[in-house]
Amino acid sequence: MSLIQWYPGHIAKAERQLKEHLKLVDVVLEVLDARIPLASHHPRVNDWIGSKPRLLVLNRVDMIPESARQAWVSWFKSQGETIYFTNAKQGEGVKAILKAAREVGEEINEKRKNRGLLPRPVRAVVIGLPNVGKSALINRLLGRKVVASARRAGVTRQLQWVRISDTLELLDAPGIIPSRLDKQEDAVKLAICEDIGDAGYDNQRITAALVDLVVEMQYDEILKSRYALDPRTMTGEEFIERLAQTRYKEDKERATMQILNDFRKGIMGAIPLELPPVG
Ligand SMILES: Nc1nc2c(ncn2[C@@H]2O[C@H](COP(=O)(O)OP(=O)(O)OP(=O)(O)O)[C@@H](O)[C@H]2O)c(=O)[nH]1
């Protein structure tokens, strides 16, 4: 049995809705999770966006170390991409995105003018996988709360354009990229980071994978000092078991949730789960 179970009906619906959103806009702001920029990018997004300009936003920059941030800047540059880092919760990095989006808007209008067309406000949308921080970013871009930045139960309402500047308007609701189905390894990272939406998974197996990954990324010292257990001498599963024995009266579920929540809340420290591929 695979680690992550999907609900294909939901995915098909999300894909249809995203395509509808994308039809309406000139510019796309794609939000990735800075801890897993590769796993949080859907391979088909490029096709869906087509030739429209896109700004790549790596959110949750507060959850990765400076070294990882620099490594990603260089790597994306080598791929011909400019990236923008944000902490949408605190508002960090948002001004640079506003500036870049405005510039893209001006360029589009310049082209329209050259073709003899009247300038008009350029329309943008924020898209990304579930829970990557889209709503938080929209609220920061607009300087006020237009979207509830937390779990909402499928509230449908009219989409609205909100003016950012004379030349730029933003769709007040994010476009949700459906989960990717192609690689289990990436799906596990998405589950660890909670960027996964409607998928079923086993917390214990996900957390064991998290421990293994943290060791692989050479951040094992963080685990060792926090839980007084050396993860290098055991597997992730054994680590949970030992933690349950030493701290939680054999309760593996409590040990699991302690580790997973510590990571998800950033309490463990800034730990990247991916670094750029070498070569
Ligand atoms: N630490 C940290 N937390 C963030 C950041 N951005 C968003 N969050 C938190 O991440 C959670 C999800 O943010 P949302 O803005 O609701 O994400 P979303 O992509 O709109 O989520 P869905 O509507 O489920 O698709 C919230 O608890 C935010 O407070 C960030 O840059 N750093």
Side-chain angles (χ1 to χ4, degrees):
M1 196 190 84
S2 57
L3 227 57
I4 316 283
Q5 303 291 315
W6 304 102
Y7 306 107
H10 293 189
I11 290 169
K13 189 172 165 213
E15 190 174 317
R16 265 197 318 275
Q17 282 177 345
L18 178 69
K19 285 183 186 160
E20 287 301 314
H21 267 60
L22 288 172
K23 262 192 221 157
L24 304 171
V25 302
D26 311 293
V27 185
V28 179
L29 276 65
E30 184 185 351
V31 183
L32 304 176
D33 188 323
R35 294 169 296 180
I36 47 169
L38 301 178
S40 59
H41 171 72
H42 194 298
R44 289 185 57 202
V45 161
N46 296 4
D47 288 340
W48 291 330
I49 294 179
S51 59
K52 290 177 185 178
R54 174 189 61 171
L55 298 177
L56 262 188
V57 180
L58 272 67
N59 188 44
R60 294 202 177 113
V61 65
D62 53 305
M63 303 186 91
I64 60 165
E66 179 59 29
S67 55
R69 178 180 173 143
Q70 282 170 15
W72 284 115
V73 170
S74 313
W75 186 78
F76 275 103
K77 199 171 170 192
S78 75
Q79 307 293 305
E81 299 262 16
T82 307
I83 51 171
Y84 297 85
F85 283 103
T86 52
N87 170 352
K89 205 172 169 182
Q90 304 290 338
E92 190 193 321
V94 170
K95 271 196 189 141
I97 294 176
L98 280 174
K99 183 166 175 270
R102 247 185 255 124
E103 282 167 9
V104 172
E106 281 157 19
E107 270 170 41
I108 291 175
N109 267 327
E110 199 51 42
K111 279 189 197 146
R112 284 180 64 84
K113 213 165 114 189
N114 293 341
R115 298 204 327 259
L117 297 167
L118 284 174
R120 60 163 174 77
V122 166
R123 296 185 150 180
V125 66
V126 172
I127 67 167
L129 288 175
N131 211 41
V132 291
K134 300 178 296 297
S135 305
L137 180 64
I138 293 176
N139 292 333
R140 287 287 174 182
L141 287 169
L142 299 173
R144 64 196 143 96
K145 205 159 189 168
V146 289
V147 209
S149 177
R151 299 231 162 272
R152 303 163 304 249
V155 187
T156 22
R157 61 187 173 85
Q158 206 66 35
L159 292 177
Q160 281 180 22
W161 296 100
V162 190
R163 187 156 284 221
I164 290 188
S165 72
D166 287 348
T167 48
L168 188 70
E169 289 178 353
L170 185 70
L171 199 57
D172 72 342
I176 299 172
I177 300 175
S179 303
R180 20 183 317 197
L181 304 168
D182 52 335
K183 266 198 201 162
Q184 274 287 313
E185 197 189 315
D186 288 347
V188 168
K189 291 180 188 164
L190 292 170
I192 292 171
C193 295
E194 233 183 344
D195 299 334
I196 195 149
D198 289 320
Y201 54 88
D202 176 335
N203 281 326
Q204 214 161 295
R205 291 174 70 187
I206 291 300
T207 304
L210 167 63
V211 171
D212 292 335
L213 256 174
V214 171
V215 174
E216 199 183 308
M217 301 299 289
Q218 300 185 335
Y219 283 82
D220 44 276
E221 275 302 326
I222 289 185
L223 291 176
K224 193 176 164 190
S225 64
R226 185 157 182 88
Y227 306 108
L229 277 176
D230 188 350
R232 281 172 311 176
T233 58
M234 54 189 107
T235 63
E237 261 172 59
E238 287 162 352
F239 189 84
I240 295 171
E241 215 163 285
R242 286 284 300 280
L243 186 66
Q245 281 165 4
T246 51
R247 287 223 196 148
Y248 297 105
K249 299 184 183 142
E250 309 278 340
D251 187 342
K252 279 208 269 184
E253 188 55 27
R254 274 186 65 200
T256 296
M257 292 323 292
Q258 185 67 47
I259 300 170
L260 195 54
N261 287 330
D262 281 355
F263 176 79
R264 286 175 172 172
K265 289 182 190 155
I267 295 171
M268 253 185 221
I271 305 177
L273 294 188
E274 280 178 347
L275 282 174
V278 227

